[in-house]
Every structure is written in C-alpha cells, then in structure tokens.
Amino acid sequence: MVVLTEKTALRRACANSLDNVVHLNLWNAHITDVSVLRRMPNLEVLTLSVNSLTNLQDLTCCTKLKELYVRSNNITSVKELQHLRGLLCLRVLWLSDNPCADDIDYRMHAIQMLPQLQVLDGTDIEDDERMDASSAALNDSQQNSSFVGSLTDENQTDSRHQLSDTSQSQVFTATTTANNPILAAVGTLLDTLGPDALQAVLAMAQDRITKTTQVGNSKTSVSSLDSHATSMSTGSQIKHSDHAALEEA
C-alpha cells in the first residue's frame, strides 16, 4: 500500500502548508491511500490519474475542488460518485478507464448524481443528456414510490384486519366478564400475578380444558350407547307384541 504523505503532497504542490495547496498533480504515483486530502480545504485542481485508488471517500472535504482527474484507477462502482455530491464547485471530472466506466449507463448515472458537472471524460455534457438523465431519475423515483405505496397499502390492510380481530376479541371478553362475576374475580386476580405465575395458571387451564373435553366426549359416547340400547329394546318389545297378537288371533 502506498500512502500519500503530507511531505509528498507539499513537495508536489510546492506549498508550505496543506491549507495552501490549490493545485496538486499525483499522476502515476502508485498511490492507494489519499486520506491526507481531507486536510486540504482549498484544493481546486487534483490529478490522481494512473494510480490504484478504489474509492473517492477522501475527497468529501475538498469543497472548493473544480477539476478532478482520476482516470485509470480501480474504482469499480459508480456509487463512489456520491462522495462528490457536496462538491458544488466541481465542473470537470475524468473517470474513464476505471471498471465503473464500463457500465452501459455509466455516463447517465454520473450526470444524475453530479448535476453540477459541465465536462465528463473530456466531453461536454449536452442539454439533452441532462434531460435524459432527469427523466430516467424521475421514472426510477415513480417506480420506487409505487412499490413503497403498494407495500404501505398491504400493511395498512393487515393492520386493519388485526385491529378488527383484536377489537372483536376485546368486546367478547368484556361482555363475557361483565355477565359472569366469577370471571370478573378471576380477571382481577390475574392482574396481580407475575409472568411465571401466569404461565402456571395457563398450564392449569389448558389441562382442565383437555380433561373437560375428554369427559364430555365420554359422556356423549355413553349417551349414544344408551340411546342405541333403548332403541333396540323398544324394537324387541314391538316384535314380541306383534307375535303375541298373532298367537291370539
């Protein structure tokens, strides 16, 4: 890794302090780290072409920068241009021969992100290019808004359903409790219990429900058997009566 030092920067700029650096040429210096640029607030023209930079984040403090040359580096994403958005004085940018410039929409994205530019990669930015970039940005914004809107509608619908279900449950519970003083007393008691005690009560209630259901099913089965036996007995009596009548006849 090759770091740009204060000493090298001052020597290249022929300046006695970083505040006085206005023009800086670092062409083909094999540099990978330019963090010292954060201490050059008055820099106006910067040449970093033919180096090994991978990002542009160290340029955010160079608010007076007018011309930036970073051709032939290792910048892979056009999103790195977001670090230059605050450089409102920037008019000239040379970014070609970086991996990010191979993107088919690279130039349009650059114009979208940096509307203050006048020249990109040695070519003047035309008005029709700005209009195309603005239209593309508007379409993207509308599509994102539609997508977010659809998600919002779905979330609101789900929320209304949840509120409706909750409200119905609360009304049923309130009505049942009001009509049953025992349940009202139980509710008051539950309000005094902690989480562990409530879990224990819930387990007991579930156990009681299971047992009650089993007993109810058992009673239903016995009742069904009794009914069936009574039906068979009645049928037998009818047959005996018919047989007796025939014998009398």
Side-chain angles (χ1 to χ4, degrees):
M1 182 174 69
V2 179
V3 179
L4 174 62
T5 64
E6 178 178 349
K7 180 179 179 180
T8 299
L10 292 176
R11 178 170 54 82
R12 289 289 188 101
C14 298
N16 55 11
S17 73
L18 295 179
D19 287 339
N20 293 330
V21 176
V22 178
H23 296 79
L24 182 58
N25 188 340
L26 297 165
W27 184 85
N28 194 24
H30 309 290
I31 297 173
T32 58
D33 186 325
V34 291
S35 55
V36 71
L37 293 177
R38 295 175 179 270
R39 298 159 55 195
M40 301 182 194
N42 296 311
L43 191 60
E44 294 182 3
V45 179
L46 175 61
T47 300
L48 287 168
S49 296
V50 195
N51 281 286
S52 301
L53 300 179
T54 59
N55 63 75
L56 301 172
Q57 62 185 8
D58 291 317
L59 300 175
T60 55
C61 297
C62 302
T63 55
K64 295 183 180 181
L65 195 63
K66 297 178 181 179
E67 299 180 19
L68 175 61
Y69 303 90
V70 284
R71 182 179 59 83
S72 297
N73 278 271
N74 294 323
I75 300 171
T76 59
S77 175
V78 72
K79 292 181 180 179
E80 286 298 318
L81 294 180
Q82 67 185 342
H83 299 298
L84 308 181
R85 280 181 169 176
L87 309 186
L88 302 182
C89 297
L90 188 63
R91 296 294 180 265
V92 178
L93 174 64
W94 201 305
L95 193 64
S96 62
D97 298 324
N98 278 277
C100 66
D102 294 335
D103 190 308
I104 190 172
D105 294 323
Y106 149 72
R107 187 173 175 88
M108 183 187 67
H109 289 319
I111 296 172
Q112 283 178 351
M113 299 177 72
L114 303 174
Q116 70 270 36
L117 289 181
Q118 295 178 352
V119 180
L120 177 61
D121 296 332
T123 303
D124 290 344
I125 297 175
E126 304 294 339
D127 290 340
D128 58 345
E129 288 185 294
R130 296 187 188 279
M131 292 180 62
D132 291 342
S134 297
S135 299
L138 180 61
N139 289 335
D140 290 342
S141 177
Q142 290 176 342
Q143 290 178 358
N144 291 336
S145 297
S146 299
F147 178 70
V148 171
S150 65
L151 289 179
T152 301
D153 292 341
E154 291 178 3
N155 291 336
Q156 289 177 344
T157 301
D158 292 342
S159 297
R160 285 196 294 268
H161 289 164
Q162 293 174 356
L163 287 173
S164 177
D165 294 342
T166 302
S167 299
Q168 292 177 1
S169 176
Q170 289 175 342
V171 170
F172 175 77
T173 303
T175 303
T176 305
T177 302
N179 294 333
N180 193 323
I182 296 178
L183 288 179
V186 171
T188 302
L189 177 60
L190 292 177
D191 290 338
T192 65
L193 300 179
D196 293 338
L198 287 173
Q199 289 288 347
V201 171
L202 178 61
M204 292 172 59
Q206 291 175 337
D207 183 60
R208 290 295 180 88
I209 291 172
T210 300
K211 291 181 178 179
T212 302
T213 302
Q214 291 175 346
V215 171
N217 291 338
S218 178
K219 289 182 178 180
T220 301
S221 298
V222 172
S223 175
S224 177
L225 289 173
D226 290 344
S227 176
H228 182 65
T230 301
S231 176
M232 292 181 63
S233 176
T234 302
S236 177
Q237 290 175 356
I238 291 174
K239 288 181 179 180
H240 286 309
S241 298
D242 293 341
H243 184 69
L246 289 173
E247 286 182 348
E248 290 178 358

